[in-house]
Amino acid sequence: MPTMNMLQAINNALDIAMAEDEKVICFGEDVGIFGGVFRATSNLQGKYGKARCFNTPLVEQGIIGFANGLAAQGSVPVAEIQFADYIFPAFDQIVNETAKFRYRSGDLFNVGGLTIRTPYGGGISGGLYHSQSPEAYFTHTPGLKIVVPRNPYQAKGLLLAAIRDADPVIFFEPKRLYRASVGEVPEEDYQLPLGEADIIKEGTDITLVGWGAQMEVIGKAVELAEEAGISCEVIDLRSLLPWDEDTVVESVLKTGRLVITHEAPRTGGFAGEIATTIQERCFLYLESPIARVTGLDTPFPLTLEKEYLPDHLKIFEAIRESVDF
Protein backbone atom coordinates (compact mmCIF):
# COMPACT_ATOMS: atom_id res chain seq x y z
CA MET A 1 0.00 0.00 0.00
CA PRO A 2 1.53 3.37 -0.97
CA THR A 3 2.33 6.08 1.55
CA MET A 4 0.87 9.54 0.98
CA ASN A 5 0.63 12.82 2.79
CA MET A 6 -2.75 14.51 3.05
CA LEU A 7 -2.22 16.69 -0.03
CA GLN A 8 -1.30 13.68 -2.14
CA ALA A 9 -4.35 11.80 -0.86
CA ILE A 10 -6.65 14.71 -1.76
CA ASN A 11 -5.05 15.01 -5.18
CA ASN A 12 -5.47 11.26 -5.68
CA ALA A 13 -9.15 11.46 -4.73
CA LEU A 14 -9.76 14.30 -7.18
CA ASP A 15 -7.91 12.37 -9.89
CA ILE A 16 -10.08 9.29 -9.33
CA ALA A 17 -13.30 11.30 -9.28
CA MET A 18 -12.41 13.18 -12.48
CA ALA A 19 -11.34 10.00 -14.27
CA GLU A 20 -14.56 8.24 -13.33
CA ASP A 21 -16.99 11.04 -14.15
CA GLU A 22 -16.40 13.66 -16.83
CA LYS A 23 -18.93 15.91 -15.07
CA VAL A 24 -16.49 16.45 -12.16
CA ILE A 25 -14.89 19.89 -12.56
CA CYS A 26 -12.28 21.53 -10.29
CA PHE A 27 -11.84 25.29 -10.09
CA GLY A 28 -10.75 28.07 -7.77
CA GLU A 29 -7.97 30.60 -7.32
CA ASP A 30 -4.70 29.32 -8.86
CA VAL A 31 -5.85 25.68 -9.01
CA GLY A 32 -4.93 25.30 -12.68
CA ILE A 33 -1.35 24.86 -13.88
CA PHE A 34 -0.07 26.15 -10.52
CA GLY A 35 -1.92 23.35 -8.69
CA GLY A 36 -3.35 25.56 -5.95
CA VAL A 37 -1.55 27.46 -3.23
CA PHE A 38 -0.85 24.15 -1.41
CA ARG A 39 -0.61 22.07 -4.64
CA ALA A 40 -3.70 19.95 -3.90
CA THR A 41 -4.74 20.12 -7.57
CA SER A 42 -1.28 19.53 -9.08
CA ASN A 43 -1.26 18.01 -12.58
CA LEU A 44 -5.05 17.86 -12.87
CA GLN A 45 -5.24 20.57 -15.52
CA GLY A 46 -2.51 18.87 -17.54
CA LYS A 47 -4.36 15.56 -17.35
CA TYR A 48 -7.97 16.69 -17.80
CA GLY A 49 -7.63 19.97 -19.65
CA LYS A 50 -8.46 23.60 -19.00
CA ALA A 51 -12.18 22.98 -19.37
CA ARG A 52 -12.26 20.74 -16.29
CA CYS A 53 -9.58 22.27 -14.04
CA PHE A 54 -9.18 26.03 -14.24
CA ASN A 55 -8.47 29.26 -12.42
CA THR A 56 -11.16 31.71 -11.35
CA PRO A 57 -10.97 35.40 -10.51
CA LEU A 58 -10.22 36.31 -6.89
CA VAL A 59 -13.88 36.56 -5.91
CA GLU A 60 -15.19 33.91 -3.53
CA GLN A 61 -18.83 34.86 -3.93
CA GLY A 62 -18.43 34.43 -7.66
CA ILE A 63 -16.73 31.04 -7.25
CA ILE A 64 -19.62 29.61 -5.23
CA GLY A 65 -22.29 31.34 -7.30
CA PHE A 66 -20.71 29.83 -10.41
CA ALA A 67 -20.52 26.45 -8.66
CA ASN A 68 -24.20 26.62 -7.73
CA GLY A 69 -25.10 27.25 -11.35
CA LEU A 70 -22.95 24.40 -12.60
CA ALA A 71 -24.34 21.97 -10.04
CA ALA A 72 -27.93 22.99 -10.81
CA GLN A 73 -27.29 22.12 -14.46
CA GLY A 74 -25.94 18.66 -13.67
CA SER A 75 -22.20 19.18 -13.33
CA VAL A 76 -20.29 17.94 -10.28
CA PRO A 77 -18.22 20.98 -9.27
CA VAL A 78 -15.43 20.81 -6.70
CA ALA A 79 -14.79 24.43 -5.82
CA GLU A 80 -11.72 25.46 -3.82
CA ILE A 81 -11.75 28.43 -1.45
CA GLN A 82 -8.05 29.09 -1.02
CA PHE A 83 -8.24 29.68 2.76
CA ALA A 84 -11.30 29.12 4.98
CA ASP A 85 -10.73 32.64 6.30
CA TYR A 86 -11.89 33.93 2.91
CA ILE A 87 -15.04 31.86 2.70
CA PHE A 88 -17.07 34.67 4.25
CA PRO A 89 -17.55 36.68 1.03
CA ALA A 90 -19.26 33.52 -0.27
CA PHE A 91 -21.36 33.11 2.89
CA ASP A 92 -24.55 34.36 1.25
CA GLN A 93 -24.18 32.03 -1.71
CA ILE A 94 -23.51 29.05 0.58
CA VAL A 95 -26.14 29.52 3.28
CA ASN A 96 -28.88 31.20 1.23
CA GLU A 97 -28.45 29.47 -2.12
CA THR A 98 -26.39 26.26 -1.88
CA ALA A 99 -28.11 25.03 1.27
CA LYS A 100 -31.66 25.99 0.25
CA PHE A 101 -31.69 25.24 -3.46
CA ARG A 102 -33.50 21.90 -3.18
CA TYR A 103 -35.89 23.03 -0.44
CA ARG A 104 -37.06 26.24 -2.07
CA SER A 105 -37.64 24.56 -5.44
CA GLY A 106 -39.57 21.64 -4.01
CA ASP A 107 -36.80 19.38 -5.30
CA LEU A 108 -37.27 20.57 -8.87
CA PHE A 109 -33.64 21.74 -8.73
CA ASN A 110 -30.74 20.97 -6.44
CA VAL A 111 -27.01 21.55 -6.13
CA GLY A 112 -26.32 18.23 -4.43
CA GLY A 113 -23.30 17.60 -6.60
CA LEU A 114 -21.36 20.54 -5.17
CA THR A 115 -18.31 20.09 -2.93
CA ILE A 116 -16.48 23.08 -1.47
CA ARG A 117 -12.90 22.32 -0.40
CA THR A 118 -11.13 24.74 1.89
CA PRO A 119 -8.04 24.60 4.17
CA TYR A 120 -8.65 25.75 7.73
CA GLY A 121 -6.95 26.17 11.09
CA GLY A 122 -3.80 27.46 12.74
CA GLY A 123 -0.35 26.14 13.44
CA ILE A 124 1.40 27.63 10.42
CA SER A 125 2.05 31.14 11.78
CA GLY A 126 -0.47 32.48 9.29
CA GLY A 127 -1.85 35.25 11.48
CA LEU A 128 -5.46 36.26 11.79
CA TYR A 129 -6.43 35.94 8.10
CA HIS A 130 -4.93 32.49 7.42
CA SER A 131 -5.66 30.52 10.59
CA GLN A 132 -9.34 30.55 11.43
CA SER A 133 -11.66 27.58 11.94
CA PRO A 134 -15.10 28.76 10.75
CA GLU A 135 -16.87 25.39 10.68
CA ALA A 136 -19.46 26.28 13.33
CA TYR A 137 -20.96 29.06 11.18
CA PHE A 138 -22.02 26.47 8.63
CA THR A 139 -23.26 23.82 11.06
CA HIS A 140 -26.10 26.26 11.78
CA THR A 141 -27.38 25.85 8.23
CA PRO A 142 -29.71 22.94 7.36
CA GLY A 143 -29.10 21.68 3.84
CA LEU A 144 -25.31 21.41 4.09
CA LYS A 145 -22.97 18.66 5.18
CA ILE A 146 -19.75 19.56 7.02
CA VAL A 147 -16.81 17.15 6.88
CA VAL A 148 -13.31 17.39 8.42
CA PRO A 149 -10.67 14.66 7.85
CA ARG A 150 -7.77 14.02 10.24
CA ASN A 151 -5.28 12.07 8.08
CA PRO A 152 -4.55 11.08 4.45
CA TYR A 153 -6.62 7.88 4.57
CA GLN A 154 -9.65 9.78 5.79
CA ALA A 155 -9.05 12.68 3.41
CA LYS A 156 -9.24 10.44 0.34
CA GLY A 157 -12.19 8.32 1.48
CA LEU A 158 -14.24 11.20 2.82
CA LEU A 159 -13.55 13.47 -0.16
CA LEU A 160 -14.66 10.81 -2.63
CA ALA A 161 -17.80 10.29 -0.55
CA ALA A 162 -18.40 14.05 -0.44
CA ILE A 163 -18.07 14.45 -4.21
CA ARG A 164 -20.57 11.63 -4.78
CA ASP A 165 -22.97 12.64 -2.02
CA ALA A 166 -26.50 13.75 -2.85
CA ASP A 167 -26.13 16.91 -0.73
CA PRO A 168 -23.72 19.86 -0.98
CA VAL A 169 -20.67 19.35 1.27
CA ILE A 170 -18.15 21.76 2.75
CA PHE A 171 -14.88 19.86 3.14
CA PHE A 172 -12.61 21.54 5.68
CA GLU A 173 -8.97 20.44 5.32
CA PRO A 174 -6.56 20.90 8.28
CA LYS A 175 -3.75 22.65 6.46
CA ARG A 176 -1.12 22.23 9.16
CA LEU A 177 -1.38 18.48 8.50
CA TYR A 178 -1.20 18.77 4.70
CA ARG A 179 2.39 17.56 4.64
CA ALA A 180 2.85 16.65 8.32
CA SER A 181 0.31 13.82 8.30
CA VAL A 182 1.62 10.83 6.33
CA GLY A 183 0.20 7.32 6.17
CA GLU A 184 -0.77 4.36 4.08
CA VAL A 185 -3.55 5.06 1.60
CA PRO A 186 -5.08 2.43 -0.72
CA GLU A 187 -4.53 3.14 -4.41
CA GLU A 188 -7.98 1.96 -5.30
CA ASP A 189 -11.26 3.83 -5.12
CA TYR A 190 -12.92 3.76 -1.68
CA GLN A 191 -15.28 5.87 0.38
CA LEU A 192 -15.79 6.51 4.08
CA PRO A 193 -19.31 7.19 5.38
CA LEU A 194 -20.36 10.78 6.04
CA GLY A 195 -22.05 11.38 9.37
CA GLU A 196 -20.40 8.47 11.18
CA ALA A 197 -17.84 9.05 13.92
CA ASP A 198 -14.69 6.97 14.28
CA ILE A 199 -13.84 5.49 17.68
CA ILE A 200 -10.06 5.70 17.60
CA LYS A 201 -9.44 4.27 21.04
CA GLU A 202 -11.70 2.63 23.60
CA GLY A 203 -11.47 3.54 27.29
CA THR A 204 -13.45 3.56 30.52
CA ASP A 205 -12.78 6.76 32.51
CA ILE A 206 -13.48 9.66 30.15
CA THR A 207 -14.57 10.39 26.57
CA LEU A 208 -12.58 12.80 24.40
CA VAL A 209 -14.20 14.22 21.25
CA GLY A 210 -12.61 16.26 18.47
CA TRP A 211 -12.10 16.47 14.70
CA GLY A 212 -9.48 17.36 12.13
CA ALA A 213 -6.11 18.55 13.38
CA GLN A 214 -7.24 18.41 17.01
CA MET A 215 -7.15 14.62 16.88
CA GLU A 216 -3.35 14.74 16.78
CA VAL A 217 -3.37 17.01 19.85
CA ILE A 218 -5.82 14.72 21.65
CA GLY A 219 -3.43 11.84 21.03
CA LYS A 220 -0.63 13.61 22.88
CA ALA A 221 -2.96 14.42 25.79
CA VAL A 222 -4.06 10.79 25.99
CA GLU A 223 -0.43 9.70 26.37
CA LEU A 224 -0.11 11.97 29.41
CA ALA A 225 -3.44 10.76 30.80
CA GLU A 226 -2.52 7.12 30.48
CA GLU A 227 0.78 7.76 32.26
CA ALA A 228 -1.41 9.11 35.07
CA GLY A 229 -3.53 5.95 35.04
CA ILE A 230 -6.56 7.45 33.27
CA SER A 231 -8.27 5.35 30.58
CA CYS A 232 -9.52 7.54 27.70
CA GLU A 233 -12.03 6.79 24.97
CA VAL A 234 -11.24 8.89 21.88
CA ILE A 235 -13.82 9.77 19.20
CA ASP A 236 -13.16 11.56 15.93
CA LEU A 237 -16.46 12.99 14.71
CA ARG A 238 -15.25 13.32 11.06
CA SER A 239 -18.59 14.96 10.16
CA LEU A 240 -20.07 17.88 12.08
CA LEU A 241 -23.28 18.13 10.06
CA PRO A 242 -24.76 15.67 10.56
CA TRP A 243 -22.78 14.60 13.62
CA ASP A 244 -22.89 11.14 15.13
CA GLU A 245 -24.79 11.77 18.36
CA ASP A 246 -25.42 8.13 19.16
CA THR A 247 -21.75 7.15 19.19
CA VAL A 248 -20.86 9.97 21.59
CA VAL A 249 -23.89 9.27 23.79
CA GLU A 250 -23.04 5.58 24.02
CA SER A 251 -19.49 6.44 25.03
CA VAL A 252 -20.49 8.98 27.69
CA LEU A 253 -23.04 6.55 29.15
CA LYS A 254 -20.06 4.25 29.71
CA THR A 255 -17.43 6.74 30.94
CA GLY A 256 -19.61 9.41 32.60
CA ARG A 257 -17.24 12.19 31.56
CA LEU A 258 -16.70 14.23 28.39
CA VAL A 259 -14.07 16.66 27.11
CA ILE A 260 -14.63 18.33 23.73
CA THR A 261 -11.91 20.27 21.95
CA HIS A 262 -11.72 22.46 18.84
CA GLU A 263 -9.55 25.26 17.51
CA ALA A 264 -12.35 27.74 16.94
CA PRO A 265 -13.20 30.25 19.68
CA ARG A 266 -15.19 28.92 22.62
CA THR A 267 -18.30 31.11 22.31
CA GLY A 268 -20.62 29.71 19.67
CA GLY A 269 -18.22 26.88 18.88
CA PHE A 270 -19.58 23.46 17.94
CA ALA A 271 -18.53 22.07 21.33
CA GLY A 272 -21.48 23.95 22.79
CA GLU A 273 -23.90 22.01 20.57
CA ILE A 274 -22.33 18.69 21.53
CA ALA A 275 -22.33 19.55 25.23
CA THR A 276 -26.01 20.50 25.17
CA THR A 277 -27.02 17.33 23.36
CA ILE A 278 -25.05 15.11 25.73
CA GLN A 279 -26.48 16.93 28.73
CA GLU A 280 -29.98 16.31 27.38
CA ARG A 281 -29.40 12.60 26.74
CA CYS A 282 -26.90 11.63 29.46
CA PHE A 283 -27.60 13.99 32.40
CA LEU A 284 -28.17 11.33 35.04
CA TYR A 285 -25.03 9.47 34.00
CA LEU A 286 -22.58 12.39 34.13
CA GLU A 287 -19.93 12.19 36.85
CA SER A 288 -18.57 15.69 36.19
CA PRO A 289 -19.40 18.82 34.15
CA ILE A 290 -18.75 18.54 30.42
CA ALA A 291 -15.52 20.38 29.62
CA ARG A 292 -14.60 22.42 26.53
CA VAL A 293 -10.99 23.04 25.51
CA THR A 294 -11.02 25.52 22.65
CA GLY A 295 -9.39 28.49 21.00
CA LEU A 296 -9.75 31.81 22.78
CA ASP A 297 -12.49 34.39 22.26
CA THR A 298 -10.11 36.72 20.46
CA PRO A 299 -9.06 37.27 16.85
CA PHE A 300 -6.50 34.60 15.93
CA PRO A 301 -3.12 36.07 16.99
CA LEU A 302 0.21 35.84 15.16
CA THR A 303 2.90 36.05 17.83
CA LEU A 304 0.76 34.37 20.52
CA GLU A 305 -0.43 31.49 18.34
CA LYS A 306 0.79 28.81 20.76
CA GLU A 307 -1.03 30.47 23.64
CA TYR A 308 -4.23 30.68 21.59
CA LEU A 309 -4.35 27.07 20.41
CA PRO A 310 -5.89 24.34 22.60
CA ASP A 311 -2.79 22.19 23.04
CA HIS A 312 -2.28 18.80 24.68
CA LEU A 313 -1.40 20.30 28.05
CA LYS A 314 -4.70 22.22 28.21
CA ILE A 315 -6.60 19.07 27.25
CA PHE A 316 -4.72 16.98 29.82
CA GLU A 317 -5.55 19.53 32.49
CA ALA A 318 -9.25 19.31 31.54
CA ILE A 319 -9.07 15.51 31.70
CA ARG A 320 -7.53 15.60 35.14
CA GLU A 321 -10.01 18.14 36.50
CA SER A 322 -12.90 16.09 35.12
CA VAL A 323 -11.66 12.84 36.61
CA ASP A 324 -10.88 14.50 39.99
CA PHE A 325 -14.20 16.37 40.16
Side-chain angles (χ1 to χ4, degrees):
M1 188 180 299
T3 298
M4 300 183 190
N5 63 31
M6 188 176 289
L7 279 172
Q8 292 168 329
I10 290 168
N11 182 266
N12 185 232
L14 293 171
D15 190 3
I16 289 173
M18 295 180 78
E20 177 203 59
D21 184 356
E22 63 180 11
K23 294 181 179 179
V24 177
I25 301 170
C26 296
F27 53 90
E29 297 161 2
D30 300 322
V31 306
I33 194 65
F34 190 61
V37 67
F38 294 103
R39 306 297 188 270
T41 54
S42 292
N43 303 315
L44 295 180
Q45 186 179 83
K47 190 170 183 178
Y48 297 101
K50 293 182 179 179
R52 295 186 59 197
C53 181
F54 51 88
N55 297 335
T56 65
L58 301 178
V59 53
E60 286 78 10
Q61 185 177 25
I63 292 171
I64 302 304
F66 178 60
N68 283 337
L70 279 174
Q73 296 299 316
S75 293
V76 184
V78 183
E80 179 180 298
I81 299 296
Q82 199 169 73
F83 288 89
D85 311 71
Y86 299 110
I87 204 169
F88 299 115
F91 197 79
D92 174 59
Q93 282 295 323
I94 295 171
V95 305
N96 275 332
E97 305 301 336
T98 304
K100 298 177 174 65
F101 222 94
R102 178 185 287 126
Y103 180 80
R104 70 181 172 88
S105 72
D107 204 21
L108 290 175
F109 308 100
N110 72 79
V111 296
L114 171 58
T115 301
I116 302 169
R117 295 182 40 249
T118 188
Y120 82 96
I124 64 166
S125 300
L128 71 167
Y129 290 131
H130 297 82
S131 305
Q132 296 175 77
S133 300
E135 67 274 10
Y137 291 103
F138 300 98
T139 61
H140 195 61
T141 306
L144 300 175
K145 289 184 177 177
I146 311 298
V147 179
V148 193
R150 74 170 189 275
N151 60 31
Y153 175 78
Q154 277 196 356
K156 178 177 176 179
L158 290 172
L159 181 56
L160 281 167
I163 292 170
R164 295 159 178 165
D165 196 81
D167 295 310
V169 178
I170 305 181
F171 197 79
F172 286 98
E173 300 168 1
K175 59 179 174 286
R176 80 164 179 260
L177 300 184
Y178 266 159
R179 291 182 172 81
S181 181
V182 178
E184 291 186 338
V185 178
E187 286 184 292
E188 62 269 20
D189 190 338
Y190 67 94
Q191 298 182 61
L192 297 175
L194 306 185
E196 290 187 19
D198 183 17
I199 301 175
I200 297 175
K201 179 183 176 303
E202 295 190 356
T204 56
D205 295 329
I206 190 167
T207 300
L208 308 178
V209 171
W211 51 88
Q214 272 313 93
M215 299 314 302
E216 181 188 45
V217 182
I218 289 176
K220 294 178 181 177
V222 168
E223 291 179 8
L224 295 176
E226 292 191 333
E227 289 174 5
I230 302 170
S231 173
C232 301
E233 183 141 306
V234 180
I235 298 175
D236 175 7
L237 282 187
R238 302 197 296 195
S239 296
L240 303 187
L241 190 65
W243 68 283
D244 190 346
E245 292 183 22
D246 290 343
T247 293
V248 181
V249 165
E250 185 175 341
S251 177
V252 175
L253 290 178
K254 177 176 64 174
T255 66
R257 302 176 180 86
L258 174 63
V259 172
I260 312 156
T261 180
H262 57 63
E263 283 188 36
R266 178 186 178 97
T267 301
F270 197 65
E273 176 64 28
I274 298 171
T276 301
T277 301
I278 298 305
Q279 184 273 142
E280 290 170 346
R281 297 182 61 180
C282 306
F283 181 71
L284 295 178
Y285 294 83
L286 290 173
E287 301 287 347
S288 64
I290 297 169
R292 292 177 288 171
V293 185
T294 70
L296 304 180
D297 283 337
T298 69
F300 197 103
L302 177 59
T303 57
L304 297 175
E305 183 178 61
K306 290 184 178 178
E307 284 73 16
Y308 174 94
L309 289 171
D311 64 13
H312 64 292
L313 297 177
K314 295 176 184 176
I315 297 173
F316 174 59
E317 187 63 24
I319 294 171
R320 196 164 56 182
E321 287 182 2
S322 183
V323 171
D324 293 342
F325 180 80

